[in-house]
Amino acid sequence: MSTDPVLVDEDASSGSGEDDGHSKHQTVTPNSGRRKRNRKATGDAIVDAMLEIAAASKMRAAAIMRNEERFAISKCIKVLDEMQGVDQSIYFFALDLFDNPNAREIFISLKSERRLTWLQCKFNTSPNAANR
Protein backbone atom coordinates (compact mmCIF):
# COMPACT_ATOMS: atom_id res chain seq x y z
CA MET A 1 0.00 0.00 0.00
CA SER A 2 1.40 3.38 -1.01
CA THR A 3 1.55 6.21 1.49
CA ASP A 4 2.20 8.88 -1.13
CA PRO A 5 -0.29 11.75 -1.09
CA VAL A 6 -2.88 11.75 -3.85
CA LEU A 7 -3.98 14.98 -5.52
CA VAL A 8 -7.73 15.19 -5.96
CA ASP A 9 -9.33 17.79 -8.25
CA GLU A 10 -12.48 19.00 -6.53
CA ASP A 11 -13.48 21.21 -9.50
CA ALA A 12 -13.71 18.64 -12.25
CA SER A 13 -16.96 20.11 -13.68
CA SER A 14 -15.38 21.61 -16.80
CA GLY A 15 -13.74 18.37 -17.74
CA SER A 16 -11.32 20.31 -19.93
CA GLY A 17 -8.41 19.74 -17.60
CA GLU A 18 -7.40 23.37 -18.05
CA ASP A 19 -6.46 25.42 -15.04
CA ASP A 20 -8.72 28.45 -14.95
CA GLY A 21 -7.26 29.70 -11.66
CA HIS A 22 -10.35 28.63 -9.75
CA SER A 23 -9.64 24.94 -9.47
CA LYS A 24 -9.38 23.55 -5.97
CA HIS A 25 -6.89 20.82 -5.25
CA GLN A 26 -6.81 18.85 -2.04
CA THR A 27 -4.06 16.55 -0.91
CA VAL A 28 -5.33 13.31 0.59
CA THR A 29 -3.06 10.93 2.41
CA PRO A 30 -4.47 7.41 2.57
CA ASN A 31 -3.06 6.76 6.06
CA SER A 32 -4.08 10.06 7.69
CA GLY A 33 -6.84 8.29 9.67
CA ARG A 34 -4.34 5.80 11.05
CA ARG A 35 -1.96 8.61 12.04
CA LYS A 36 -4.73 10.34 13.98
CA ARG A 37 -5.47 7.07 15.79
CA ASN A 38 -1.76 6.63 16.53
CA ARG A 39 -1.53 10.19 17.87
CA LYS A 40 -4.57 9.56 20.07
CA ALA A 41 -3.09 6.31 21.34
CA THR A 42 0.20 8.06 22.07
CA GLY A 43 -1.65 10.88 23.84
CA ASP A 44 -3.61 8.34 25.88
CA ALA A 45 -0.37 6.56 26.82
CA ILE A 46 1.16 9.86 27.96
CA VAL A 47 -1.92 10.67 30.03
CA ASP A 48 -1.83 7.19 31.59
CA ALA A 49 1.87 7.57 32.41
CA MET A 50 1.26 10.97 33.98
CA LEU A 51 -1.57 9.56 36.09
CA GLU A 52 0.69 6.74 37.25
CA ILE A 53 3.39 9.24 38.19
CA ALA A 54 0.86 11.32 40.13
CA ALA A 55 -0.43 8.24 41.97
CA ALA A 56 3.11 7.14 42.85
CA SER A 57 3.89 10.63 44.09
CA LYS A 58 0.81 10.63 46.31
CA MET A 59 1.74 7.21 47.71
CA ARG A 60 5.28 8.40 48.44
CA ALA A 61 4.00 11.55 50.15
CA ALA A 62 1.62 9.47 52.29
CA ALA A 63 4.47 7.13 53.27
CA ILE A 64 6.66 10.09 54.23
CA MET A 65 3.84 11.54 56.33
CA ARG A 66 3.33 8.21 58.12
CA ASN A 67 7.07 8.03 58.78
CA GLU A 68 7.15 11.62 60.09
CA GLU A 69 4.18 10.92 62.36
CA ARG A 70 5.87 7.78 63.67
CA PHE A 71 8.92 9.81 64.77
CA ALA A 72 7.12 13.03 65.66
CA ILE A 73 8.41 15.17 68.51
CA SER A 74 5.10 14.77 70.32
CA LYS A 75 5.43 10.99 70.19
CA CYS A 76 9.00 11.18 71.51
CA ILE A 77 7.85 13.38 74.39
CA LYS A 78 5.02 11.00 75.19
CA VAL A 79 7.47 8.07 75.33
CA LEU A 80 9.90 10.16 77.38
CA ASP A 81 7.12 11.06 79.86
CA GLU A 82 6.27 7.37 80.31
CA MET A 83 9.89 6.43 81.13
CA GLN A 84 10.99 5.78 84.73
CA GLY A 85 14.18 7.23 86.23
CA VAL A 86 14.66 10.21 83.89
CA ASP A 87 16.07 13.13 85.87
CA GLN A 88 15.24 16.70 84.93
CA SER A 89 18.57 17.51 83.24
CA ILE A 90 18.33 14.47 80.94
CA TYR A 91 14.65 15.22 80.29
CA PHE A 92 15.37 18.75 79.04
CA PHE A 93 18.47 17.56 77.17
CA ALA A 94 16.25 15.00 75.40
CA LEU A 95 13.81 17.74 74.38
CA ASP A 96 16.65 19.59 72.66
CA LEU A 97 17.88 16.34 71.14
CA PHE A 98 14.44 15.74 69.61
CA ASP A 99 15.02 18.71 67.28
CA ASN A 100 17.14 16.26 65.28
CA PRO A 101 14.96 13.91 63.16
CA ASN A 102 17.65 11.20 63.23
CA ALA A 103 17.80 11.30 67.03
CA ARG A 104 14.00 10.99 67.19
CA GLU A 105 14.08 7.96 64.92
CA ILE A 106 16.81 6.31 66.98
CA PHE A 107 15.00 7.07 70.24
CA ILE A 108 11.68 5.60 69.09
CA SER A 109 13.32 2.62 67.36
CA LEU A 110 15.29 1.56 70.45
CA LYS A 111 13.85 -1.03 72.80
CA SER A 112 12.29 0.71 75.77
CA GLU A 113 14.89 -0.64 78.24
CA ARG A 114 17.73 0.90 76.15
CA ARG A 115 16.30 4.39 75.70
CA LEU A 116 17.39 5.82 79.04
CA THR A 117 20.93 4.42 78.67
CA TRP A 118 21.15 5.95 75.17
CA LEU A 119 19.94 9.33 76.46
CA GLN A 120 22.44 9.22 79.33
CA CYS A 121 25.31 8.42 76.93
CA LYS A 122 24.28 11.27 74.61
CA PHE A 123 23.97 13.57 77.61
CA ASN A 124 27.40 12.62 78.99
CA THR A 125 29.15 12.97 75.60
CA SER A 126 27.52 16.25 74.63
CA PRO A 127 29.84 19.30 74.31
CA ASN A 128 28.23 20.95 77.34
CA ALA A 129 28.67 17.88 79.58
CA ALA A 130 31.78 19.36 81.22
CA ASN A 131 29.83 22.47 82.26
CA ARG A 132 27.26 20.52 84.25
Side-chain angles (χ1 to χ4, degrees), residues 49-113:
M50 290 174 66
L51 290 173
E52 284 183 37
I53 290 169
S57 178
K58 285 180 184 178
M59 286 175 42
R60 185 172 184 271
I64 289 170
M65 289 299 294
R66 283 192 303 273
N67 199 35
E68 287 177 358
E69 290 170 8
R70 183 174 170 206
F71 305 119
I73 292 175
S74 58
K75 179 160 184 175
C76 291
I77 292 171
K78 182 178 183 220
V79 170
L80 183 64
D81 287 341
E82 294 170 354
M83 290 172 56
Q84 300 289 322
V86 180
D87 67 29
Q88 187 171 340
S89 57
I90 290 180
Y91 184 91
F92 289 110
F93 172 79
L95 294 180
D96 288 338
L97 192 63
F98 295 157
D99 282 338
N100 179 336
N102 292 329
R104 291 195 305 265
E105 184 173 350
I106 291 169
F107 179 75
I108 294 296
S109 299
L110 285 170
K111 291 182 179 183
S112 57
E113 62 269 11

